[in-house]
Coordinates of all heavy atoms in Angstrom, one line a residue:
M632 N 118.2 52.2 62.4 CA 118.8 50.9 62.7 C 120.1 51.1 63.3 O 121.0 51.9 62.9 CB 118.9 50.2 61.4 CG 119.5 48.8 61.5 SD 119.5 47.8 60.0 CE 120.9 48.3 59.2
T633 N 120.4 50.3 64.4 CA 121.7 50.3 65.0 C 122.5 49.1 64.7 O 121.9 48.0 64.8 CB 121.5 50.4 66.6 OG1 120.8 51.6 66.8 CG2 122.8 50.5 67.3
T634 N 123.7 49.2 64.4 CA 124.6 48.1 64.1 C 125.6 48.0 65.2 O 126.3 49.0 65.5 CB 125.3 48.2 62.7 OG1 124.2 48.3 61.7 CG2 126.1 47.0 62.4
L635 N 125.8 46.9 65.7 CA 126.8 46.6 66.8 C 127.9 45.8 66.2 O 127.6 44.7 65.7 CB 126.2 46.0 68.0 CG 127.1 45.6 69.1 CD1 127.7 46.8 69.8 CD2 126.3 44.8 70.1
V636 N 129.2 46.2 66.3 CA 130.3 45.5 65.8 C 131.1 45.2 67.0 O 131.5 46.1 67.8 CB 131.1 46.3 64.8 CG1 132.4 45.5 64.4 CG2 130.3 46.6 63.6
I637 N 131.5 43.9 67.3 CA 132.3 43.6 68.4 C 133.6 43.1 67.9 O 133.7 42.2 67.1 CB 131.6 42.5 69.2 CG1 130.2 43.0 69.7 CG2 132.5 42.0 70.4 CD1 129.4 41.9 70.4
V638 N 134.7 43.7 68.4 CA 136.1 43.3 68.2 C 136.8 43.4 69.5 O 136.4 44.0 70.4 CB 136.7 44.2 67.1 CG1 136.1 44.1 65.8 CG2 136.7 45.7 67.6
L639 N 137.9 42.7 69.6 CA 138.7 42.6 70.8 C 140.0 43.4 70.6 O 140.7 43.3 69.6 CB 139.0 41.2 71.2 CG 137.8 40.3 71.5 CD1 138.2 38.9 71.8 CD2 137.0 40.9 72.7
A640 N 140.4 44.1 71.6 CA 141.7 44.8 71.7 C 142.3 44.6 73.1 O 141.6 44.4 74.0 CB 141.5 46.3 71.4
V641 N 143.6 44.8 73.2 CA 144.3 44.5 74.4 C 144.0 45.6 75.4 O 143.9 45.4 76.6 CB 145.8 44.4 74.2 CG1 146.6 44.2 75.5 CG2 146.1 43.2 73.3
D642 N 144.0 46.9 75.0 CA 143.8 48.0 75.9 C 142.9 49.1 75.3 O 142.5 49.0 74.1 CB 145.1 48.6 76.3 CG 146.0 49.1 75.1 OD1 145.4 49.2 74.0 OD2 147.2 49.3 75.3
L643 N 142.5 50.1 76.0 CA 141.6 51.1 75.5 C 142.2 51.9 74.3 O 141.5 52.1 73.4 CB 141.3 52.1 76.7 CG 140.4 53.3 76.3 CD1 139.1 52.8 75.8 CD2 140.3 54.2 77.5
A644 N 143.5 52.2 74.4 CA 144.1 52.9 73.3 C 144.0 52.1 72.0 O 143.7 52.6 70.9 CB 145.6 53.3 73.6
G645 N 144.3 50.8 72.1 CA 144.2 49.9 70.9 C 142.8 49.8 70.4 O 142.5 49.8 69.2
A646 N 141.8 49.7 71.3 CA 140.4 49.7 71.0 C 140.0 50.9 70.2 O 139.3 50.8 69.2 CB 139.6 49.4 72.2
V647 N 140.4 52.1 70.7 CA 140.1 53.3 70.1 C 140.7 53.4 68.7 O 140.0 53.8 67.7 CB 140.5 54.5 70.9 CG1 140.4 55.8 70.2 CG2 139.7 54.6 72.2
R648 N 141.9 53.0 68.5 CA 142.6 53.1 67.2 C 141.8 52.1 66.2 O 141.5 52.5 65.1 CB 144.0 52.7 67.3 CG 144.9 53.7 67.8 CD 146.4 53.4 67.6 NE 146.8 52.1 68.2 CZ 147.2 52.0 69.5 NH1 147.2 53.0 70.3 NH2 147.6 50.8 69.9
L649 N 141.5 50.9 66.7 CA 140.8 50.0 65.8 C 139.4 50.5 65.5 O 139.0 50.4 64.3 CB 140.7 48.6 66.5 CG 140.1 47.5 65.7 CD1 140.7 47.3 64.3 CD2 140.1 46.2 66.5
A650 N 138.7 51.0 66.4 CA 137.4 51.6 66.2 C 137.4 52.7 65.2 O 136.5 52.8 64.4 CB 136.8 52.0 67.5
R651 N 138.4 53.6 65.2 CA 138.5 54.7 64.3 C 138.7 54.1 62.9 O 138.0 54.6 61.9 CB 139.7 55.6 64.6 CG 139.5 56.4 65.9 CD 140.7 57.2 66.2 NE 141.0 58.2 65.2 CZ 140.4 59.4 65.1 NH1 139.4 59.7 66.0 NH2 140.7 60.3 64.2
V652 N 139.5 53.1 62.7 CA 139.7 52.5 61.4 C 138.4 51.9 60.8 O 138.0 52.2 59.7 CB 140.8 51.5 61.4 CG1 140.9 50.7 60.1 CG2 142.2 52.2 61.7
V653 N 137.7 51.1 61.7 CA 136.5 50.4 61.3 C 135.4 51.5 61.0 O 134.7 51.4 60.0 CB 136.1 49.4 62.3 CG1 134.7 48.9 62.0 CG2 137.1 48.3 62.5
A654 N 135.3 52.5 61.8 CA 134.2 53.5 61.6 C 134.5 54.3 60.4 O 133.5 54.6 59.6 CB 134.2 54.4 62.8
R655 N 135.7 54.6 60.1 CA 136.0 55.4 58.9 C 135.7 54.5 57.6 O 135.2 55.0 56.6 CB 137.4 55.9 58.9 CG 137.5 57.1 59.8 CD 138.8 57.7 59.7 NE 138.9 58.9 60.6 CZ 139.6 59.9 60.4 NH1 140.3 60.0 59.3 NH2 139.5 60.9 61.2
W656 N 136.1 53.3 57.7 CA 135.8 52.4 56.6 C 134.3 52.2 56.4 O 133.8 52.3 55.3 CB 136.4 51.0 56.8 CG 136.1 50.0 55.7 CD1 136.8 49.9 54.6 CD2 135.1 49.1 55.8 NE1 136.2 48.9 53.8 CE2 135.1 48.4 54.5 CE3 134.1 48.7 56.7 CZ2 134.2 47.4 54.2 CZ3 133.2 47.7 56.3 CH2 133.3 47.1 55.1
A657 N 133.5 52.1 57.5 CA 132.1 51.9 57.4 C 131.4 53.2 57.0 O 130.3 53.2 56.5 CB 131.5 51.4 58.7
G658 N 132.1 54.3 57.1 CA 131.6 55.6 56.8 C 131.2 55.8 55.3 O 130.5 56.7 54.9
V659 N 131.7 54.9 54.5 CA 131.3 54.9 53.0 C 129.8 54.5 52.9 O 129.2 54.8 51.8 CB 132.2 54.0 52.2 CG1 133.6 54.4 52.3 CG2 132.0 52.5 52.5
L660 N 129.2 53.9 53.9 CA 127.8 53.5 53.8 C 127.0 54.7 54.2 O 127.3 55.4 55.2 CB 127.6 52.3 54.8 CG 128.4 51.1 54.6 CD1 128.2 50.1 55.7 CD2 128.1 50.5 53.2
S661 N 126.0 55.0 53.5 CA 125.1 56.2 53.7 C 124.5 56.1 55.1 O 124.2 57.2 55.7 CB 124.1 56.3 52.6 OG 123.2 55.2 52.6
C662 N 124.2 55.0 55.6 CA 123.5 54.9 56.9 C 124.5 54.9 58.1 O 124.0 54.9 59.2 CB 122.6 53.6 57.0 SG 123.6 52.1 56.8
A663 N 125.8 54.8 57.9 CA 126.7 54.8 59.0 C 127.0 56.2 59.5 O 127.1 57.2 58.7 CB 128.0 54.2 58.5
D664 N 127.2 56.4 60.8 CA 127.5 57.6 61.4 C 128.7 57.4 62.3 O 128.5 57.0 63.5 CB 126.3 58.2 62.2 CG 126.6 59.5 62.8 OD1 127.7 60.1 62.6 OD2 125.7 60.0 63.5
P665 N 129.9 57.6 61.8 CA 131.1 57.4 62.6 C 131.1 58.1 63.9 O 131.7 57.7 64.9 CB 132.3 57.8 61.7 CG 131.7 57.7 60.3 CD 130.3 58.0 60.5
G666 N 130.5 59.3 64.0 CA 130.5 60.1 65.2 C 129.8 59.4 66.4 O 130.0 59.8 67.5
E667 N 129.1 58.4 66.1 CA 128.4 57.6 67.2 C 129.2 56.5 67.7 O 128.8 55.7 68.6 CB 127.0 57.1 66.8 CG 126.0 58.2 66.6 CD 125.7 58.9 67.9 OE1 125.6 58.3 68.9 OE2 125.4 60.1 67.8
T668 N 130.4 56.3 67.2 CA 131.3 55.2 67.6 C 131.8 55.3 69.0 O 132.3 56.3 69.4 CB 132.5 55.0 66.6 OG1 132.0 54.9 65.3 CG2 133.3 53.8 66.9
T669 N 131.6 54.2 69.8 CA 132.1 54.2 71.2 C 132.8 52.8 71.4 O 132.6 51.9 70.6 CB 131.0 54.3 72.2 OG1 130.1 53.3 72.0 CG2 130.3 55.7 72.1
V670 N 133.7 52.8 72.4 CA 134.3 51.5 72.8 C 134.1 51.3 74.3 O 133.9 52.3 75.0 CB 135.8 51.4 72.5 CG1 136.0 51.5 71.0 CG2 136.6 52.5 73.2
S671 N 134.1 50.1 74.7 CA 133.9 49.8 76.2 C 134.7 48.5 76.5 O 134.9 47.6 75.6 CB 132.4 49.6 76.5 OG 131.8 48.6 75.8
A672 N 135.0 48.3 77.7 CA 135.6 47.1 78.2 C 134.6 46.0 78.2 O 133.4 46.3 78.5 CB 136.3 47.3 79.6
E673 N 135.0 44.8 78.0 CA 134.1 43.7 78.0 C 133.3 43.5 79.3 O 132.1 43.3 79.3 CB 134.8 42.4 77.7 CG 133.9 41.2 77.6 CD 134.7 39.9 77.3 OE1 135.9 39.9 77.3 OE2 134.0 38.9 76.9
D674 N 133.9 43.8 80.4 CA 133.3 43.6 81.7 C 132.7 44.9 82.2 O 132.1 45.0 83.3 CB 134.2 43.0 82.7 CG 135.5 43.8 82.9 OD1 135.8 44.7 82.1 OD2 136.2 43.5 83.9
E675 N 132.7 46.0 81.4 CA 132.2 47.3 81.8 C 131.5 47.9 80.6 O 131.7 49.0 80.2 CB 133.2 48.3 82.3 CG 133.9 47.9 83.6 CD 134.9 48.9 84.0 OE1 135.3 49.7 83.2 OE2 135.4 48.8 85.1
Q676 N 130.5 47.2 80.0 CA 129.9 47.6 78.8 C 129.0 48.8 79.0 O 128.6 49.5 78.0 CB 129.2 46.4 78.1 CG 130.1 45.4 77.6 CD 129.5 44.3 76.9 OE1 128.3 44.3 76.6 NE2 130.2 43.2 76.6
G677 N 128.7 49.1 80.2 CA 127.9 50.3 80.4 C 128.7 51.6 80.4 O 128.2 52.7 80.4
V678 N 130.0 51.5 80.5 CA 131.0 52.6 80.5 C 131.5 52.7 79.0 O 132.3 51.9 78.6 CB 132.1 52.4 81.5 CG1 133.1 53.6 81.4 CG2 131.6 52.2 82.9
R679 N 131.0 53.7 78.3 CA 131.4 53.8 76.9 C 132.4 55.0 76.7 O 132.2 56.1 77.4 CB 130.2 54.0 76.0 CG 129.3 52.8 76.1 CD 128.1 53.0 75.2 NE 127.2 51.8 75.3 CZ 127.4 50.7 74.6 NH1 128.4 50.5 73.8 NH2 126.6 49.7 74.8
H680 N 133.3 54.8 75.9 CA 134.3 55.9 75.6 C 134.1 56.3 74.1 O 134.2 55.5 73.2 CB 135.8 55.4 75.7 CG 136.0 54.8 77.1 ND1 136.4 55.7 78.1 CD2 135.9 53.6 77.7 CE1 136.5 54.9 79.2 NE2 136.2 53.7 79.0
R681 N 133.8 57.6 73.9 CA 133.7 58.1 72.5 C 135.0 58.0 71.8 O 136.0 58.3 72.3 CB 133.2 59.5 72.5 CG 131.8 59.7 72.7 CD 131.2 61.0 72.2 NE 129.8 61.0 72.2 CZ 129.0 60.4 71.3 NH1 129.6 59.9 70.3 NH2 127.7 60.4 71.5
V682 N 134.9 57.7 70.5 CA 136.0 57.6 69.6 C 136.3 58.9 68.9 O 137.4 59.4 68.7 CB 135.9 56.4 68.6 CG1 137.0 56.4 67.6 CG2 135.8 55.1 69.4
F683 N 135.2 59.5 68.4 CA 135.3 60.8 67.7 C 134.6 61.9 68.5 O 133.7 61.7 69.3 CB 134.5 60.7 66.4 CG 135.1 59.7 65.4 CD1 134.6 58.4 65.3 CD2 136.3 60.0 64.7 CE1 135.1 57.5 64.4 CE2 136.9 59.0 63.9 CZ 136.3 57.8 63.7
C684 N 134.9 63.1 68.2 CA 134.3 64.3 68.7 C 132.8 64.3 68.3 O 132.5 63.8 67.2 CB 134.9 65.6 68.2 SG 134.1 67.1 68.6
D685 N 131.9 64.7 69.2 CA 130.5 64.6 68.9 C 129.9 65.8 68.3 O 128.7 65.8 68.0 CB 129.8 64.2 70.2 CG 128.3 63.7 70.0 OD1 128.1 63.1 68.9 OD2 127.5 64.0 70.8
L686 N 130.6 66.9 68.1 CA 130.1 68.1 67.6 C 129.7 68.1 66.2 O 130.4 67.5 65.4 CB 131.0 69.3 67.9 CG 131.3 69.5 69.4 CD1 132.3 70.6 69.6 CD2 130.0 69.8 70.2
R687 N 128.7 68.8 65.8 CA 128.2 68.9 64.4 C 128.9 70.1 63.8 O 129.0 71.2 64.4 CB 126.7 69.1 64.4 CG 126.0 67.9 64.9 CD 125.5 67.1 63.7 NE 124.7 65.9 64.3 CZ 124.5 64.8 63.6 NH1 124.9 64.7 62.4 NH2 123.8 63.9 64.1
L688 N 129.3 70.0 62.6 CA 129.8 71.1 61.8 C 128.7 71.7 61.0 O 127.7 71.2 60.8 CB 130.9 70.5 60.9 CG 132.1 69.9 61.6 CD1 133.0 69.2 60.5 CD2 132.9 70.9 62.3
P689 N 129.0 72.9 60.4 CA 128.0 73.5 59.5 C 127.7 72.5 58.4 O 128.6 71.8 57.9 CB 128.8 74.7 58.9 CG 129.8 75.1 60.0 CD 130.2 73.8 60.6
G690 N 126.4 72.4 58.1 CA 126.0 71.4 57.1 C 125.5 70.1 57.7 O 125.0 69.2 57.0
G691 N 125.7 70.0 59.0 CA 125.1 68.8 59.7 C 126.1 67.6 59.9 O 125.8 66.7 60.6
R692 N 127.2 67.7 59.2 CA 128.1 66.5 59.3 C 128.9 66.7 60.6 O 129.0 67.7 61.2 CB 129.1 66.5 58.1 CG 128.3 66.3 56.9 CD 129.1 66.1 55.7 NE 129.7 64.8 55.7 CZ 130.5 64.3 54.8 NH1 130.9 65.1 53.8 NH2 130.9 63.1 54.8
R693 N 129.4 65.6 61.1 CA 130.1 65.5 62.4 C 131.6 65.8 62.2 O 132.2 65.4 61.2 CB 130.0 64.2 63.1 CG 128.6 63.9 63.6 CD 128.6 62.6 64.3 NE 127.2 62.2 64.6 CZ 126.6 62.5 65.8 NH1 127.2 63.2 66.7 NH2 125.4 62.0 66.0
C694 N 132.2 66.3 63.3 CA 133.7 66.4 63.4 C 134.2 65.0 63.5 O 133.7 64.1 64.2 CB 134.1 67.2 64.6 SG 135.8 67.2 65.0
L695 N 135.3 64.7 62.8 CA 135.9 63.3 62.8 C 137.2 63.3 63.5 O 138.0 62.4 63.3 CB 136.0 62.8 61.4 CG 134.7 62.4 60.8 CD1 134.9 61.8 59.4 CD2 133.9 61.4 61.6
L696 N 137.5 64.3 64.3 CA 138.8 64.3 65.1 C 138.5 63.5 66.4 O 137.4 63.1 66.7 CB 139.2 65.7 65.4 CG 139.4 66.6 64.2 CD1 139.9 68.0 64.7 CD2 140.5 66.0 63.3
R697 N 139.6 63.2 67.1 CA 139.5 62.5 68.3 C 138.5 63.2 69.3 O 138.3 64.4 69.3 CB 140.8 62.3 69.0 CG 141.8 61.6 68.1 CD 143.1 61.4 68.8 NE 144.1 60.8 67.9 CZ 144.2 59.5 67.6 NH1 143.3 58.7 68.2 NH2 145.1 59.0 66.8
A698 N 138.0 62.4 70.2 CA 137.0 62.9 71.2 C 137.5 64.1 72.0 O 136.7 65.0 72.2 CB 136.5 61.8 72.1
D699 N 138.7 64.1 72.4 CA 139.2 65.2 73.2 C 140.2 66.1 72.5 O 141.3 66.4 73.1 CB 139.8 64.7 74.5 CG 138.8 64.0 75.4 OD1 137.6 64.4 75.4 OD2 139.1 62.9 76.0
H700 N 140.0 66.3 71.2 CA 141.0 67.1 70.4 C 141.1 68.5 70.8 O 140.2 69.1 71.4 CB 140.6 67.0 68.9 CG 139.4 67.7 68.5 ND1 139.5 69.1 68.2 CD2 138.1 67.4 68.4 CE1 138.3 69.5 67.9 NE2 137.4 68.4 68.0
D701 N 142.3 69.1 70.5 CA 142.6 70.5 70.7 C 142.3 71.2 69.4 O 142.4 70.6 68.3 CB 144.0 70.7 71.1 CG 144.4 70.2 72.5 OD1 143.5 70.2 73.3 OD2 145.5 69.7 72.6
G702 N 141.9 72.5 69.5 CA 141.7 73.3 68.3 C 140.3 73.1 67.7 O 139.5 72.4 68.3
P703 N 140.1 73.7 66.5 CA 138.8 73.7 65.9 C 138.4 72.3 65.4 O 139.3 71.5 65.0 CB 138.9 74.7 64.8 CG 140.3 74.7 64.5 CD 141.1 74.5 65.7
C704 N 137.1 72.0 65.3 CA 136.6 70.8 64.7 C 136.9 70.8 63.2 O 137.0 71.8 62.6 CB 135.1 70.7 65.0 SG 134.7 70.4 66.7
A705 N 137.0 69.5 62.7 CA 137.2 69.4 61.2 C 136.7 68.0 60.8 O 136.5 67.1 61.6 CB 138.7 69.5 60.9
R706 N 136.6 67.9 59.5 CA 136.2 66.6 58.9 C 137.4 65.7 58.7 O 137.3 64.5 58.6 CB 135.5 66.8 57.5 CG 134.2 67.3 57.6 CD 133.2 66.4 58.1 NE 133.0 65.2 57.3 CZ 132.5 64.0 57.7 NH1 132.0 63.9 58.9 NH2 132.4 63.0 57.0
R707 N 138.6 66.2 58.7 CA 139.8 65.4 58.5 C 140.9 65.9 59.4 O 141.0 67.1 59.7 CB 140.3 65.6 57.0 CG 139.3 65.1 56.0 CD 140.1 64.7 54.7 NE 139.2 64.3 53.7 CZ 138.6 63.1 53.6 NH1 138.9 62.2 54.5 NH2 137.8 62.8 52.6
P708 N 141.7 65.0 59.9 CA 142.9 65.4 60.8 C 143.9 66.3 60.0 O 144.1 66.0 58.8 CB 143.5 64.1 61.2 CG 142.7 63.0 60.7 CD 141.7 63.6 59.8
T709 N 144.5 67.2 60.6 CA 145.5 68.0 60.0 C 146.8 67.2 60.1 O 147.1 66.5 61.0 CB 145.7 69.4 60.6 OG1 146.0 69.1 62.0 CG2 144.5 70.2 60.5
R710 N 147.6 67.3 59.0 CA 148.9 66.6 59.0 C 150.1 67.5 59.1 O 150.1 68.6 58.8 CB 149.0 65.7 57.8 CG 147.9 64.7 57.8 CD 148.0 63.8 56.6 NE 146.9 62.8 56.6 CZ 147.1 61.6 56.6 NH1 148.3 61.0 56.6 NH2 146.0 60.8 56.7

């Protein structure tokens, strides 16, 4: 089952930040996969921008760092 959530943001950076928050919150649901989260402009819905890295970690879970992150993949950002 695919769930589509539509929210509005002023720019791509704002849309990505908002999508990260919503996806992590929805990640508490067993059927949610934050790694599949993308954003697109309203008038360019065929052009999607990944929010999270798409690589799988050992054990099958996805990396939850930004799509173009530096360094190794991880489930949580380093602080």
Side-chain angles (χ1 to χ4, degrees):
M632 178 172 86
T633 301
T634 302
L635 176 66
V636 177
I637 299 174
V638 294
L639 298 176
V641 177
D642 57 14
L643 179 60
V647 168
R648 282 192 305 273
L649 181 57
R651 289 178 65 81
V652 170
V653 171
R655 285 187 177 210
W656 177 83
V659 301
L660 304 172
S661 62
C662 62
D664 184 1
E667 290 295 325
T668 303
T669 60
V670 296
S671 62
E673 182 178 11
D674 56 347
E675 294 180 346
Q676 293 183 12
V678 179
R679 299 185 182 274
H680 302 273
R681 277 204 173 276
V682 173
F683 297 102
C684 174
D685 191 34
L686 297 177
R687 296 257 182 203
L688 297 171
R692 298 186 76 183
R693 290 185 190 267
C694 172
L695 289 181
L696 299 181
R697 297 184 187 280
D699 296 323
H700 70 85
D701 292 328
C704 291
R706 287 290 299 163
R707 300 202 183 279
T709 56
R710 294 183 184 237

